[in-house]
Amino acid sequence: MAQQFNFDSAQPTVLEPGLTAHLPEALRRDVPIGPRLVGGTSFNGKLALDGAQVHLLAQACLQGLDAARQVVFGWQRQGQSLADIYVRGITPCARLIGEWWTADRLDFAMTTIVSTHLQQLLHDFSAEFLQEASPQRHGLSVLLLTEPGAQHSMGLFMLSEFFKLEGCAVTLGVPQDVAEFKRLFQSDWFDAVGVSISTDRHLGTLAALLPQLKDCSLNPSMHMFLGGPMAMREPARLKSIAADVVAEDAPTAVKWITQCMHLASFKV
């Protein structure tokens, strides 16, 4: 079951007037207007990372990467940890952008720009996020792959950060085709392999391929799991693939998967 977070209410962070003029008309009317966050700003109470704040981050990403960073800095000043920001801010923001794209409120170019900015935020804050990583490596290794030819890998990168936080050695791969997918799968010993699935293009291929790759791998007892947008939206369509479907937030998924890896290691 996904983790639950409780936050005290606070006044929402808002964008500086005049910075929203270039936004699409379909979105501009929804932008909250108010003072821009600057260094040294103080707030009373802890900010609630609710739908309004997620909407704010999406709007900031449309303005530019600097505006998006300012929103995250503001959340940090109001007491949010980066783990909370990732799970309660950036993740639902990515889903919101997907909804806007589906509803034709954003075109492909702007959707790509916003997605790029969200992923860059994860890279920008990675060193700070991993400062709290476990100082001792426990020897568990994880391979995280997108499906072949995937366009986006933000969710998988975030998952890799939480695995690193737990002291796992992580290999992250974005294969362009099935041949590269197979090569990465067979490149080393892995305690677990996770595949992020966004579309139905390779479901049949993966259903046939993954058992073969596991049988021929350096660790035939590895744990295999599936995640990504399809695991969240249509988990039933993944039942034909011989792997656990994980439709949880990143920290919950990592906790469960590392427990599975520890149990497998103990049995061996």
Coordinates of all heavy atoms in Angstrom, one line a residue, residues 36 60 64-71 73:
R36 N 6.6 36.2 -6.1 CA 7.5 35.2 -6.4 C 8.4 34.8 -5.3 O 8.8 35.7 -4.5 CB 8.4 35.6 -7.6 CG 9.3 34.5 -8.1 CD 10.1 35.1 -9.3 NE 11.0 34.0 -9.9 CZ 11.8 34.3 -10.9 NH1 11.8 35.4 -11.5 NH2 12.5 33.3 -11.4
A60 N 5.2 26.5 -13.7 CA 6.6 26.9 -13.7 C 7.4 26.3 -14.7 O 8.3 26.9 -15.3 CB 7.1 26.7 -12.3
G64 N 10.0 27.9 -17.6 CA 11.4 27.6 -17.8 C 11.9 26.9 -16.6 O 11.3 26.7 -15.5
L65 N 13.2 26.3 -16.8 CA 13.8 25.5 -15.7 C 14.0 26.3 -14.5 O 13.9 25.8 -13.4 CB 15.1 24.9 -16.3 CG 15.8 23.9 -15.4 CD1 14.9 22.8 -14.9 CD2 17.0 23.4 -16.1
D66 N 14.5 27.6 -14.6 CA 14.7 28.4 -13.4 C 13.5 28.6 -12.6 O 13.5 28.6 -11.4 CB 15.3 29.8 -13.9 CG 16.7 29.7 -14.3 OD1 17.4 28.6 -14.0 OD2 17.2 30.6 -15.0
A67 N 12.3 28.8 -13.3 CA 11.1 29.0 -12.5 C 10.7 27.7 -11.8 O 10.2 27.8 -10.7 CB 10.0 29.4 -13.5
A68 N 10.9 26.6 -12.4 CA 10.7 25.3 -11.8 C 11.6 25.1 -10.6 O 11.1 24.6 -9.5 CB 10.9 24.2 -12.8
R69 N 12.8 25.5 -10.7 CA 13.7 25.3 -9.5 C 13.3 26.2 -8.4 O 13.4 25.8 -7.2 CB 15.2 25.8 -9.9 CG 15.9 24.8 -10.9 CD 17.4 25.2 -11.0 NE 18.1 24.4 -12.0 CZ 18.5 24.8 -13.1 NH1 18.3 26.1 -13.5 NH2 19.1 24.0 -14.0
Q70 N 12.8 27.4 -8.7 CA 12.3 28.3 -7.6 C 11.2 27.7 -6.9 O 11.1 27.9 -5.6 CB 11.9 29.7 -8.2 CG 13.1 30.5 -8.7 CD 14.1 30.8 -7.6 OE1 13.7 31.2 -6.5 NE2 15.4 30.7 -7.9
V71 N 10.3 27.0 -7.5 CA 9.2 26.4 -6.8 C 9.7 25.3 -5.9 O 9.3 25.2 -4.7 CB 8.2 25.7 -7.8 CG1 7.1 24.9 -7.1 CG2 7.5 26.8 -8.7
F73 N 12.8 25.1 -4.6 CA 13.4 25.8 -3.5 C 12.4 26.3 -2.5 O 12.7 26.3 -1.2 CB 14.3 27.0 -4.0 CG 15.5 26.6 -4.8 CD1 15.9 27.4 -5.9 CD2 16.2 25.5 -4.5 CE1 17.0 27.1 -6.6 CE2 17.3 25.1 -5.3 CZ 17.7 25.9 -6.3

